[in-house]
């Protein structure tokens, strides 16, 4: 009996090992351990044996049976794993042979710059205002304290349109008319930026376009001083350009602000050590600013004794030129897809 | 405005680093645009005498020059200039010299001939801009001497300053010095010339009358007699040259010198050639003409002011440019010198209308100092020295000068605006050094503004002066706490969503200029009624667009010509239409969004529009229509709540051809202002139904004339509340479907909120849908 068991054990192991797929293993399972297997037949014979023999033969029979069950289970796991591997291997794909069918869209650099600038100022508690691109002479000049025939008007090469009286309607030369519209429509406190498209009668060259973009800021509240102006521009400068970039004010002249200033920032190319871009000064001129002129506040219906304010403005296209090393402003407006899709 | 450090030092003892001095000027609002060190790097450049000139045997543009550099030896130089003659004295850069621009001079061969040094132009010596030829030296220089000694050149610093329009005082060397001295706490001293006068009296030799007193506030005349016009002294000529003016003769040079130094333009007339022996200041008559010194005939109007002689012959345009009639010449002996104050706006108008901006008009139009006239006259005579006799006395005619009232400056207001904590004394201490006359008042100061600061009229003007001299950089910075909450408006957020959705759909944003060429609108199939630009730069940019279509067509054509015909692009931009209200102050300006899909047909555009609409949560319908600029049978109006917000379809092939755009182009164009004003976005939550759903596919054969949208609406109506989804999933033509009809297959998904639908209910829904479609429409169910 014991010998038969040992024989069945050895033969069973060999047959399990020889099964090469799950179906064959199933057959082996039935034949070795099933009801009609030799092992089952031997179990029937146990009843005829005496007690001692039956105990030892019975124990051995159970041992052989469990051992074969373990072998079969192990073999099944292995065959299943092989089968899965083979199935997935057959599904192999070369992921570099994929054909691109979707073209990505891109926002224009002007939009990207304005979105970023708006976000910085929104974070500082500003809202965003807009106005028409075709403006009246009053909003563009008169309300901003440019008297008629004032030489300061000649600083702006104005494009006029044939609408109404001659020279009554123009393409706004700056975003400042939005200031006046905001002042008229709102009571202080006012914290607003106005990004937009502006126009000048400039022949296109590497740094000029007849159509370009600006952002304007206006704050009118009680107790606003030039110190607030300087501090706001400094906070903006480090938020937008990074902590290494600072700002400074230099006296200047604009009819709609007084005191007026140019504001410079640390050269973003050399960070102040001096280079070609900043003509070795370490600074680049960014824009104009100043305390809102009392006449402008009055024109906007605000009492300049009760409220003071500051305004600032600068061109935004140059920010993109500096950031991406674009040497010619005209390239930004060719609308060449090979340019646009780089950003 | 250019100034020399040495010239500034005539008025105040400026010391120290020239760069730091320049920084101080910038900090005062006189921005240093460039700083040049003059007269340095001239070591090794000596006076040489030209001995012989002969052609180069192998080169036309070079000649060979023999020079004597003081040692009696002839040195051969190859030179590219031809403006010198034998006997001339010229600057020679000897072997080993390092030029001001860093170039080192070595002995070298030019086309086979030795050159033992280089003869220099003015620019090469950093003495000016002239590079047209060799800088020929005066004949009294000595060969072998250093050029810098021979020319009396001392090392100097030249600043080029950007002067703001509100600083006429800084349009003069003395004015710059005054401002700078005040900031640095240095004593400032104007020249005090007291030239000797002859026994002749100015008032007996000449007469001046101001007819139009509103345009000429003051006219001072000096008479100079026994004038000999010669060459200016070298120091004076050098200063003029450094400031960019070419020395002409002693009279012209002194005139320019006085203008540069004191900011007072002036004009010398040949008294013998002035009819009636004097001048009359009057408005021009309409159409009156005058030939100015630049030999151009100028046609004038009654806005222009003329300087005429007493026979009424025009001699110049006041404040702008003189005429030829009484021009100074070599034979001039008696001079009437004009020193006047003209109304700034009038000068500005005239200069602008004539397109004639001169050094004089640039100063007059900003406002000159009416009190500097006598000083300028005496300075003129002093500088001319022995070359003229100054007649005694002066002619002084007065017109209307602006009244100058003292300005009350409240100390509290100064600090309120600047953010400083200055007391009244500190404010006064900043103003007095720049010539403001101070007297105390209850709440601050009464300030008398000096005559050279016409820009300073009100309290805020004085506040700016306080801030400027206190120093902008010394104002304590702080960030105001915004008392409102920042953010974008819903409209601004939506516009960003529109842009971002389109980018997500693969569209790239373009920004064509809003200008069009005449005829562009017509070529785009649109009404040719754009608003014109009155003064366009070029005709191609002379019409304001009324539609985004022409600009986009140009972008498509440009990219197609660079082998990118299949671009998908969009633009968000303004269009400008004539307003419907006749008395509107401004055009009807609207913001639109347009999308163009190159090498694609109308369905691609509909898909793009639907995706955008879905993204914004805007319900809409399409209604076939003929739309200008679009393909007549492939276009639809976009309706939102019955309101026309734009159109979708394909650009008319004729339009594409007119703009040289190849292939077909899908297009939609929406009025963003109107669109975003419509109700949009999700409102109340609709609970998700949890019971099992059932799908029903129905295909109908329908006439081509019946829009699929109508079939869909009919089905939706018939299906009722149990319908949760309805999709058109197949369109089929041909085969068993007769011509003029097509099969439309819809999938309907039904689901109840509270139960599983029974087979009987579904059968009933099916019948209702089929009946509705077949009875209401010319549609038949397909087996």
């Amino acid at each position: 009996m014991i010998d038969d068991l040992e024989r069945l054990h050895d033969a069973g192991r060999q047959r399990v090992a020889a099964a090469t797929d799950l179906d064959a293993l199933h057959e082996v399972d039935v034949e070795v351990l099933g009801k009609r297997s030799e092992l089952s037949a031997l179990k029937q014979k146990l009843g005829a044996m005496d007690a001692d023999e039956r105990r030892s033969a019975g124990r051995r029979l159970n041992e052989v049976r469990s051992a074969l069950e373990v072998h079969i289970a192990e073999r099944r796991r292995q065959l299943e794993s092989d089968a899965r591997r083979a199935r997935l291997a057959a599904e192999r794909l070369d992921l570099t042979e994929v054909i691109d069918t979707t073209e990505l869209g891109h926002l224009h650099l002007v939009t990207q710059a304005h979105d970023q600038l708006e976000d910085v100022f929104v974070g500082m508690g500003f809202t965003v205002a807009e106005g028409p691109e075709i403006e009246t002479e009053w909003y563009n000049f008169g309300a901003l304290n440019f008297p008629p025939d004032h030489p300061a008007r000649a600083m702006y090469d104005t494009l006029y349109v044939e609408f109404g009286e001659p020279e009554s309607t123009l393409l706004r030369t700056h975003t400042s008319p939005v200031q006046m519209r905001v002042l008229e429509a709102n009571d202080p406190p006012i914290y607003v930026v106005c990004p937009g498209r502006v126009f000048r009668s400039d022949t296109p060259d590497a740094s000029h376009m007849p159509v370009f973009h600006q952002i304007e800021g206006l704050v009118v509240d009680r107790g606003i001083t030039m110190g607030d102006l300087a501090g706001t521009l400094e906070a903006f400068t480090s938020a937008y350009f990074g902590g290494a970039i600072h700002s400074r004010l230099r006296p200047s002249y604009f009819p709609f602000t007084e005191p007026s200033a140019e504001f410079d920032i640390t050269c973003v190319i050399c960070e102040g050590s001096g280079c070609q871009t900043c003509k070795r000064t370490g600074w680049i001129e960014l824009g104009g600013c100043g305390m809102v002129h009392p006449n402008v506040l009055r024109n906007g219906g605000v009492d300049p004794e009760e409220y003071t304010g500051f305004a600032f403005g600068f061109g935004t296209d140059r920010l993109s030129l500096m950031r991406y090393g674009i040497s010619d402003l005209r390239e930004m407006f060719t609308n060449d897809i090979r340019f646009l899709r780089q950003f | 405005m250019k100034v020399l450090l040495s010239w500034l030092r005539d008025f105040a003892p400026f010391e120290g680093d020239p760069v730091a001095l320049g920084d101080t000027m910038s900090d005062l609002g006189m921005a240093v645009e460039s700083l040049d060190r003059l007269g340095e790097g001239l070591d090794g450049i000596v006076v040489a005498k030209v001995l012989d000139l002969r052609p180069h045997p192998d080169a036309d543009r070079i000649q060979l020059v023999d020079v004597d550099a003081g040692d009696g030896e002839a040195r051969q130089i190859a030179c590219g200039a031809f403006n010198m003659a034998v006997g001339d004295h010229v600057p020679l850069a000897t072997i080993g010299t390092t030029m001001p621009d860093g170039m080192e001079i070595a002995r070298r061969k030019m086309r086979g001939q030795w050159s033992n040094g280089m003869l220099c132009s003015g620019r090469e010596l950093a003495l000016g801009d002239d590079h047209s030829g060799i800088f020929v030296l005066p004949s009294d220089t000595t060969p072998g001497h250093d050029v810098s000694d021979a020319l009396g050149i001392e090392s100097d610093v030249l600043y080029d300053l950007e002067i703001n329009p509100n600083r006429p005082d800084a349009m003069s060397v003395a004015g710059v010095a005054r401002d700078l001295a005040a900031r640095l706490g240095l004593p400032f001293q104007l020249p005090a010339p007291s030239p000797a006068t002859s026994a002749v009296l100015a008032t007996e030799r000449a007469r001046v009358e101001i007819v139009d007193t509103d345009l000429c506030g003051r006219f001072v005349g000096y008479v100079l007699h026994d004038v000999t016009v010669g060459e200016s002294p070298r120091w004076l000529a050098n200063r003029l040259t450094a400031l960019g003016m070419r020395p002409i003769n002693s009279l012209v040079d002194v005139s320019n010198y006085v203008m540069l130094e004191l900011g007072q333009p002036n004009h010398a007339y040949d008294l013998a050639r002035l009819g009636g022996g004097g001048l009359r200041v009057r408005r021009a008559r309409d159409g009156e003409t005058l030939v100015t010194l630049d030999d151009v005939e100028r046609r004038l109007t009654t806005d222009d002011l003329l300087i005429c002689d007493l026979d009424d012959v025009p001699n110049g345009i006041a404040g702008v440019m003189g005429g030829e009639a009484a021009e100074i010449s070599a034979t001039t002996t008696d001079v009437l010198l004009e020193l006047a104050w003209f109304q700034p706006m009038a000068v500005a108008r005239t200069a602008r209308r004539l397109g004639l901006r001169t050094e004089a008009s640039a100063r007059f139009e900003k406002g000159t100092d009416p009190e500097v006239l006598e000083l300028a006259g005496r300075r003129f005579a002093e500088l001319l020295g022995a070359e003229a006799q100054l007649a005694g006395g002066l002619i002084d005619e007065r017109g209307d000068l602006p009244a100058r009232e003292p300005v009350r400056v409240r100390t509290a207001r100064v600090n309120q605006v600047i953010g400083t904590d200055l007391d009244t004394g500190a404010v006064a201490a900043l103003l007095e050094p720049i010539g403001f006359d101070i007297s105390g008042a209850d709440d601050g100061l009464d300030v008398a503004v000096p005559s050279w600061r016409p820009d300073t009229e009100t309290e805020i003007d004085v506040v700016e002066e306080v801030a400027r001299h206190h120093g902008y950089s010394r104002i304590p910075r702080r960030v105001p706490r915004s008392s409102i909450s920042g953010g974008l408006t819903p409209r601004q957020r939506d516009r960003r969503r529109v842009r971002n959705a389109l980018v997500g759909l693969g569209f790239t944003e373009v920004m064509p200029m809003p200008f069009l060429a005449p005829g562009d609108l017509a070529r785009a199939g649109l009404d040719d009624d754009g608003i014109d630009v009155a003064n366009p730069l070029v005709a191609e940019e002379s019409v304001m667009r009324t539609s985004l279509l022409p600009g986009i067509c140009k972008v498509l054509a440009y990219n197609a010509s660079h082998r990118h015909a299949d671009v998908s692009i969009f633009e968000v931009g303004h269009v400008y239409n004539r307003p419907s209200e006749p008395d509107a102050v401004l055009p009807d300006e609207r913001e639109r969004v347009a999308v163009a899909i190159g090498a694609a047909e109308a369905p691609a555009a509909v898909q793009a529009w639907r995706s955008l609409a879905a993204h914004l949560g805007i319900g809409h319908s399409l209604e076939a229509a003929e739309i200008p600029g679009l393909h007549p049978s492939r276009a639809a109006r976009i309706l939102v709540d019955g309101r026309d917000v734009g159109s979708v379809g394909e650009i008319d092939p004729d339009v594409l051809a007119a703009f040289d755009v190849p292939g077909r182009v899908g297009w939609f164009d929406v009025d963003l202002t109107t669109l975003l004003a419509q109700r949009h976005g999700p409102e109340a939550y609709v609970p998700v139904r949890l019971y099992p759903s059932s799908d029903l596919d129905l295909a109908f054969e329908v006439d081509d004339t019946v829009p699929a949208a109508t079939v869909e609406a009919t089905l939706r109506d018939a299906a009722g509340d149990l319908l949760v989804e309805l999709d058109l999933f197949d369109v089929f033509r041909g085969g068993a479907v007769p011509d003029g009809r097509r099969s439309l297959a819809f999938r309907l998904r039904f689901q109840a909120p509270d139960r599983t639908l029974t087979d009987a209910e579904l059968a009933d829904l099916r019948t209702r849908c089929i009946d509705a479609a077949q009875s209401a429409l010319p549609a038949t169910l397909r087996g």
Side-chain angles (χ1 to χ4, degrees):
Chain A
M1 181 86 179
I2 297 293
D3 291 347
D4 285 342
L5 283 171
E6 296 310 326
R7 181 178 52 79
L8 283 178
H9 186 206
D10 290 347
R13 286 185 69 158
Q14 279 167 26
R15 293 201 58 191
V16 167
T20 54
D21 60 38
L22 288 165
D23 288 347
L25 185 66
H26 181 69
E27 274 175 35
V28 171
D29 189 356
V30 171
E31 286 170 21
V32 174
L33 297 175
K35 283 183 180 149
R36 282 177 213 144
S37 64
E38 280 188 71
L39 205 59
S40 297
L42 282 180
K43 195 176 179 183
Q44 301 296 321
K45 290 182 186 166
L46 281 179
M49 297 169 81
D50 65 38
D52 280 357
E53 265 188 335
R54 191 170 64 209
R55 194 177 305 116
S56 65
R59 190 187 311 123
R60 185 60 195 149
L61 186 141
N62 282 336
E63 281 169 6
V64 168
R65 186 175 186 89
S66 324
L68 286 174
E69 277 169 358
V70 168
H71 287 312
I72 289 171
E74 272 174 8
R75 184 65 183 152
R76 181 176 290 119
R77 264 197 300 281
Q78 193 192 349
L79 286 175
E80 276 171 355
S81 155
D82 290 352
R84 179 181 173 280
R85 194 172 298 123
R87 193 171 65 243
L88 295 188
E91 291 173 1
R92 178 187 168 276
L93 280 183
D94 173 5
L95 297 187
T96 65
E97 73 182 16
V98 175
I99 297 164
D100 280 331
T101 52
T102 49
E103 183 77 27
L104 231 102
H106 302 266
L107 286 176
H108 197 279
L109 282 180
V110 170
T111 302
Q112 295 189 33
H114 284 190
D115 284 357
Q116 272 182 36
L117 291 165
E118 286 169 12
D119 291 348
V120 169
F121 282 111
V122 162
M124 292 168 70
F126 285 65
T127 57
V128 179
E130 294 161 58
E133 291 169 1
I134 297 185
E135 262 295 4
T136 61
E137 178 280 334
W138 168 252
Y139 281 110
N140 197 76
F141 288 128
L144 295 172
N145 202 35
F146 288 78
D149 284 323
H150 193 277
R153 290 195 183 204
M155 290 158 63
Y156 302 86
D157 298 313
T158 309
L159 287 166
Y160 292 91
V161 294
E162 307 264 7
F163 192 87
E165 295 296 308
E167 305 211 341
S168 67
T169 316
L170 46 78
L171 295 168
R172 65 179 180 190
T173 59
H174 46 185
T175 41
S176 310
V178 187
Q179 278 187 30
M180 185 48 56
R181 291 182 176 274
V182 168
L183 280 173
E184 278 182 351
N186 302 277
D187 290 327
I190 291 168
Y191 291 78
V192 70
V193 288
C194 326
R197 172 179 274 179
V198 299
F199 305 80
R200 302 263 173 99
S201 178
D202 275 336
T203 307
D205 64 27
S207 51
H208 295 89
M209 284 291 284
V211 179
F212 57 103
H213 301 83
Q214 283 187 340
I215 193 165
E216 186 94 5
L218 174 71
V219 168
V220 179
D221 204 345
R222 286 195 176 84
I224 293 292
T225 71
M226 235 181 135
D228 293 307
L229 167 61
T232 299
L233 290 175
E234 178 67 17
F236 158 72
T237 301
S238 54
Y240 185 80
F241 295 99
I245 308 298
H246 298 283
S247 62
R248 72 170 184 190
L249 302 185
R250 280 185 293 113
S252 187
Y253 171 75
F254 306 102
F256 42 106
T257 50
E258 190 159 23
S260 295
E262 299 282 344
F263 75 95
D264 297 341
I265 57 166
T266 317
C267 177
V268 294
I269 308 293
C270 63
E271 296 198 343
S273 58
C275 68
Q276 200 113 34
T277 301
C278 60
K279 294 186 197 155
R280 319 228 157 267
T281 61
W283 295 91
I284 47 178
E285 194 177 310
L286 196 66
C289 61
M291 299 302 290
V292 182
H293 197 286
N295 291 350
V296 173
L297 290 176
R298 268 190 286 270
N299 288 338
V302 173
D303 178 1
E305 290 293 320
E306 186 178 355
Y307 292 101
T308 46
F310 64 78
F312 57 88
F314 54 90
T316 55
D317 297 334
R318 221 171 109 231
L319 303 180
S320 301
L321 300 193
M322 291 191 296
R323 178 166 198 163
Y324 296 108
I326 303 163
S327 56
D328 193 324
L329 176 61
R330 287 169 292 195
E331 279 208 71
M332 260 178 79
F333 299 101
T334 54
N335 295 304
D336 190 320
I337 194 75
R338 295 166 297 179
F339 175 91
L340 297 168
R341 68 185 177 195
Q342 291 185 34
F343 306 103
Chain B
M1 174 76 201
K2 289 180 179 173
V3 295
L4 281 170
L5 181 53
S6 66
W7 204 339
L8 292 172
R9 284 188 177 134
D10 288 356
F11 308 103
F14 299 112
E15 298 294 342
D17 177 17
V19 174
L21 215 52
D23 288 345
T24 306
M25 290 187 239
S26 291
D27 198 47
L28 285 166
M30 304 178 291
V32 176
E33 295 197 311
S34 66
L35 182 158
D36 289 303
R37 293 171 190 270
L38 305 184
E40 289 183 3
L42 294 182
D43 294 347
I45 303 175
V46 300
V47 180
K49 184 176 182 177
V50 178
L51 301 175
D52 185 36
L53 297 162
R54 58 184 179 282
H56 189 291
D58 299 314
D60 291 342
R61 295 189 178 179
I62 306 173
Q63 64 172 336
L64 299 176
V65 189
D66 283 344
V67 296
D68 169 13
D71 50 11
E73 272 179 43
R75 304 182 196 206
Q76 175 176 292
I77 311 290
C79 179
F82 293 82
N83 65 317
M84 57 286 199
V86 170
D88 277 352
H89 290 186
V90 291
L92 169 69
T94 52
I95 307 293
T97 300
T98 304
M99 300 299 291
D101 68 358
M103 183 175 73
E104 200 159 313
I105 303 299
R107 182 170 189 260
R108 65 191 188 103
K109 270 192 173 170
M110 291 174 83
R111 290 288 188 101
Q113 295 288 330
W114 282 108
S115 185
N116 299 294
M118 184 178 85
L119 304 184
C120 308
S121 70
R123 195 198 294 169
E124 281 160 344
L125 296 176
L127 287 181
D129 285 338
D130 192 8
H131 195 57
S132 59
I134 297 307
F135 188 91
V136 177
L137 301 168
S139 51
D140 61 357
T141 50
T142 309
H145 285 196
D146 285 347
V147 162
S148 49
D149 292 343
L151 286 177
I153 297 170
E154 288 166 20
S155 63
D156 208 336
V157 180
L158 178 69
Y159 299 96
D160 193 356
L161 306 178
E162 187 190 343
I163 303 299
N164 292 313
N166 65 332
R167 291 294 310 282
D169 65 302
M171 294 289 282
S172 68
V173 179
V176 172
R178 180 193 288 117
D179 214 33
L180 191 56
R183 167 63 78 84
L184 297 172
L186 297 172
F188 169 79
Q189 192 63 55
L190 275 176
S194 50
T197 53
S198 70
V200 177
L201 271 181
T203 46
E204 287 173 359
R205 295 291 290 272
R207 197 161 59 80
V208 171
E209 54 181 68
I210 303 175
V211 177
D212 289 297
T213 52
D214 55 332
L215 299 185
C216 178
R218 192 176 175 202
F219 195 118
V220 165
Y222 282 92
V223 170
L224 297 150
H225 56 95
D226 297 311
V227 174
T228 49
V229 180
E231 258 187 48
S232 293
R234 196 160 296 148
W235 67 267
L236 192 150
N238 284 348
R239 281 188 171 180
L240 291 182
T241 306
L243 267 65
M245 285 193 155
R246 185 189 284 265
I248 310 280
N249 61 47
S250 52
L251 214 52
V252 174
D253 294 351
V254 163
S255 171
N256 284 331
Y257 190 93
V258 168
M259 177 181 69
L260 294 171
E261 180 173 81
L262 298 172
Q264 177 59 46
N266 53 82
H267 195 82
Y269 299 87
D270 186 337
L271 189 50
R273 292 166 71 188
L274 287 178
L279 295 171
R280 173 178 298 149
V281 186
R282 65 158 172 88
R283 281 187 153 82
R285 299 177 191 104
D286 249 334
E288 196 170 2
T289 59
L290 168 74
V291 177
T292 41
L293 280 173
D294 53 358
D295 216 21
V296 177
E297 189 185 77
R298 308 285 177 175
R299 182 168 293 272
L300 305 166
T301 74
T302 53
D303 283 342
D304 304 319
L305 191 66
L306 285 177
I307 310 293
C308 304
D309 66 14
L310 290 174
D311 291 342
D312 216 34
V313 176
N315 261 287
I317 304 169
V320 181
M321 193 180 267
E324 291 174 323
E327 196 183 346
I328 297 294
S329 69
T331 60
T332 301
T333 57
D334 291 6
V335 164
L336 174 57
L337 177 64
E338 164 201 309
L339 299 143
W341 185 93
F342 299 116
Q343 216 279 325
M345 294 286 203
V347 175
R349 255 196 307 272
T350 296
R352 186 157 62 111
R353 212 194 65 250
L354 297 177
L356 190 59
R357 273 181 60 85
T358 59
E359 291 278 347
S361 74
R363 286 171 173 80
F364 280 123
E365 71 179 32
K366 292 187 177 77
T368 48
D369 177 3
E371 305 304 326
V372 81
L373 304 184
E374 299 105 306
L375 171 60
R378 289 199 308 273
R379 182 72 170 143
F380 190 103
E382 179 189 63
L383 288 166
L384 217 45
E387 293 193 4
Q389 298 285 311
L390 176 65
L394 73 163
I395 299 158
D396 190 355
E397 295 298 318
R398 301 258 175 176
D400 310 334
L401 281 172
R404 307 282 288 166
E405 300 294 334
V407 180
R408 170 66 55 89
V409 178
R410 295 162 295 166
T411 307
R413 178 67 171 170
V414 169
N415 292 317
Q416 181 197 11
V417 172
I418 308 178
T420 41
D421 194 17
L422 301 171
D423 60 28
T424 304
V427 173
L430 290 167
L431 292 172
E432 278 170 325
I434 48 172
F436 286 62
D437 214 359
I438 303 296
S439 52
D442 302 344
D443 50 358
L445 301 164
D446 278 324
V447 175
V449 178
S451 56
W452 58 84
R453 291 305 302 269
D455 58 291
T456 307
E457 293 175 309
T458 60
E459 183 182 42
I460 194 71
D461 297 332
V462 179
V463 169
E464 180 171 62
E465 290 307 295
V466 174
R468 212 166 57 79
H469 274 275
H470 176 70
Y472 284 9
S473 55
R474 291 175 57 207
I475 298 168
R477 293 177 174 192
R478 63 177 196 195
V479 181
R481 264 185 88 89
S482 170
S483 42
I484 59 161
S485 55
L488 299 178
T489 63
R491 167 81 204 287
Q492 289 160 348
R493 282 200 303 271
D494 280 342
R495 186 176 42 206
R496 285 197 182 185
R497 295 184 63 197
V498 167
R499 280 194 164 107
N500 290 332
L502 290 171
V503 164
L505 291 166
F507 292 93
T508 291
E509 187 177 21
V510 298
M511 276 194 191
M513 287 215 266
F515 303 124
L516 300 176
D520 275 351
L521 287 165
R523 287 198 295 152
L526 305 172
D527 284 346
D528 204 353
D529 65 346
I531 294 166
D532 289 323
V533 178
N535 54 335
L537 275 163
V538 286
E540 290 71 43
E541 298 169 5
S542 63
V543 181
M544 301 308 293
R545 63 186 178 191
T546 58
S547 159
L548 301 180
L549 180 59
I552 297 256
C553 283
K554 290 181 188 184
V555 172
L556 290 168
Y558 172 89
N559 282 294
S561 74
H562 291 88
R563 308 189 62 207
H564 285 282
D566 58 347
V567 293
S568 295
I569 55 177
F570 77 98
E571 181 184 5
V572 176
H574 290 207
V575 299
Y576 323 88
N577 289 291
R578 295 191 187 276
S580 46
E581 308 258 325
D583 52 353
V585 180
L586 284 175
D588 178 18
E589 187 171 330
R590 319 190 136 254
E591 190 167 48
R592 296 191 75 95
V593 56
V595 163
I597 314 170
E601 302 190 23
V606 173
Q607 285 168 344
W609 157 248
R610 281 187 182 159
S611 300
L612 177 62
H615 190 85
L616 294 172
I618 290 186
H620 72 280
S621 58
L622 300 183
E623 186 180 278
E626 285 198 26
I627 289 160
L630 300 194
H631 190 304
S633 63
R634 290 185 167 197
R637 238 187 282 287
I638 299 171
L639 303 173
V640 174
D641 286 338
R643 211 187 155 103
D644 184 349
V645 299
S647 56
V648 60
E650 208 170 293
I651 300 178
D652 188 326
D654 288 354
V655 171
L656 294 176
F659 283 92
D660 286 326
V661 180
R664 292 174 175 270
V665 177
W667 167 267
F668 77 76
D669 173 15
V670 169
D671 181 332
L672 207 53
T673 314
T674 310
L675 181 74
L676 296 178
Q678 307 304 307
R679 199 162 41 86
H680 63 278
E683 287 170 14
Y685 168 62
V686 179
V688 172
R689 298 183 182 184
L690 300 173
Y691 286 84
S693 62
S694 302
D695 289 353
L696 182 62
D697 288 357
L698 296 173
F700 295 97
E701 205 177 282
V702 190
D703 275 3
D704 277 335
T705 53
V706 178
T710 309
V711 182
E712 187 181 315
T714 306
L715 292 174
R716 204 176 276 283
D717 196 39
D721 290 344
L722 295 172
L723 183 75
V724 289
E725 283 174 38
L726 187 154
D727 292 309
L728 173 66
F729 71 91
D730 188 45
V731 181
F732 175 74
R733 283 185 174 81
V737 182
D739 273 358
R741 290 167 77 79
R742 82 283 201 202
S743 159
L744 300 171
F746 295 91
R747 174 160 298 155
L748 296 84
R749 175 164 291 180
F750 293 101
Q751 197 172 17
D754 53 355
R755 65 188 189 283
T756 304
L757 292 172
T758 63
D759 291 348
E761 281 177 301
L762 288 167
D764 180 48
L765 284 166
R766 183 171 190 277
T767 311
R768 270 169 33 204
C769 288
I770 293 167
D771 287 352
Q774 298 198 132
S775 63
L777 306 164
T780 44
L781 183 72
R782 300 189 75 224

